[in-house]
Amino acid sequence: MKSQDIGLLLKLVSLRGREGHDHDTHAGKGARALPDDWRDWALDDLDIDRHREGLPGLDGDQLLSRYSVRALAEQTGISKSQVSLSLQRCLEVGLIRKARSTGVPRANGRALFNFIVHGVRYVFPAKPGEITRGIATTFAAPVLEGQLYSSGELPMVWPDARGNSKGQAIEPLFKSVPFAVRRDPELYAMLALVDAIRIGHPRESKLAAERLAEYLE
């Protein structure tokens, strides 16, 4: 398994939430986790994505197109070849299942949650690095901001030239994380929670896991 597989699985969770787009869905939670007036990066045209559109009412072919290798690559910044390989790996180990009615790939939320909570800190650990500019993650991100986070501590950031925050660098779970999160507030929230778990501090990991369960349940 590669670290980008987790990012792709979380993207599938985000897309699934938008199929029933209202304030109680996963997508609604993501929007609340990233308010409309909050951006930790300089915007450009590529960031004005269709991520706020729900997906209800699409026919089978239209829905499949939103989950195609090409569409997933465009939304995550992961290459088409790597998206294809990632989908195959996750299907083989049961982290993805095909929906019977539509054939679209669905993340196995319970299995994904268990892997993230119990394995990600060992398989894909994270350690704060040098001071740099980037996009806020872990407890500096909106999904966890102000919770178990001291005002005297430096925030943790994904290094990014367009980022607005200055803090300790955290290597993103996969290379294109900054690109992907600028286009999807729910994915941003989930990846920030995963980072809090990757860091491995018990209290922080526990709180992040509780919040992540709300998305993957």
Side-chain angles (χ1 to χ4, degrees), residues 119-137:
V120 74
R121 75 186 67 179
Y122 305 110
V123 182
F124 308 115
K127 184 178 180 180
E130 63 184 7
I131 305 302
T132 190
R133 180 168 298 281
I135 297 173
T137 184

Side-chain angles (χ1 to χ4, degrees), residues 36-54:
D36 286 333
D37 59 353
W38 192 96
R39 294 289 184 275
D40 200 24
W41 49 82
L43 284 172
D44 69 13
D45 291 343
L46 290 177
D47 298 331
I48 311 303
D49 191 43
R50 279 75 60 193
H51 65 250
R52 293 196 181 280
E53 295 179 4

Side-chain angles (χ1 to χ4, degrees), residues 92-171:
E92 289 174 352
V93 300
L95 284 168
I96 285 178
R97 298 168 178 167
K98 292 287 187 71
R100 292 182 180 178
S101 58
T102 62
V104 301
R106 302 292 194 200
N108 182 339
R110 177 170 294 184
L112 177 58
F113 177 78
N114 287 333
F115 177 75
I116 290 172
V117 170
H118 301 295
V120 74
R121 75 186 67 179
Y122 305 110
V123 182
F124 308 115
K127 184 178 180 180
E130 63 184 7
I131 305 302
T132 190
R133 180 168 298 281
I135 297 173
T137 184
T138 67
F139 287 84
V143 68
L144 288 172
E145 189 174 20
Q147 303 182 55
L148 297 179
Y149 183 77
S150 170
S151 59
E153 294 181 58
L154 283 171
M156 297 180 190
V157 303
W158 294 308
D160 186 71
R162 290 168 52 198
N164 292 335
S165 291
K166 188 174 183 181
Q168 289 185 280
I170 293 291
E171 183 178 358

Side-chain angles (χ1 to χ4, degrees), residues 4 8 53 74-75 91 100 108 113 115 129 133 141 145 154 166 174 177 185 188 194-195 197 203 208:
Q4 64 195 26
L8 186 62
E53 295 179 4
E74 290 175 348
Q75 294 172 70
L91 276 167
R100 292 182 180 178
N108 182 339
F113 177 78
F115 177 75
R133 180 168 298 281
E145 189 174 20
L154 283 171
K166 188 174 183 181
F174 57 98
V177 161
Y188 180 10
V194 172
D195 270 4
I197 295 170
R203 288 194 306 162

